Amino acid sequence: MEIAEQSRFETTQREVRSYDATIMFAYVFLTIVLLIAIYLDSMSSGTAPGDFASMVVFP
């Protein structure tokens, strides 16, 4: 019956930390920065907002 019992390894760290929220926040932050950069680059000299919109709709 000893084989069927669960055994745990002794570790120095009692809690397992989850970094999922931190990673997701970083991805969201980088996505927002990327979208802002794309928006600001689309407003460069010589490009009208209508031209950018037509480039997105009609590639």
Side-chain angles (χ1 to χ4, degrees):
M1 204 60 182
E2 285 184 37
I3 296 174
E5 292 180 10
Q6 293 182 356
S7 62
R8 294 185 179 185
F9 293 109
E10 221 24 68
T11 59
T12 57
Q13 187 179 9
R14 296 285 181 200
E15 291 183 18
V16 177
R17 295 183 181 168
S18 176
Y19 294 104
D20 290 344
T22 306
I23 293 170
M24 292 299 291
F25 178 74
Y27 276 119
V28 168
F29 179 75
L30 289 174
T31 303
I32 291 171
V33 168
L34 179 67
L35 289 174
I36 290 172
I38 290 172
Y39 176 75
L40 292 176
D41 285 342
S42 71
M43 296 300 164
S44 64
S45 61
T47 304
D51 293 339
F52 181 68
S54 66
M55 286 188 285
V56 171
V57 176
F58 305 109

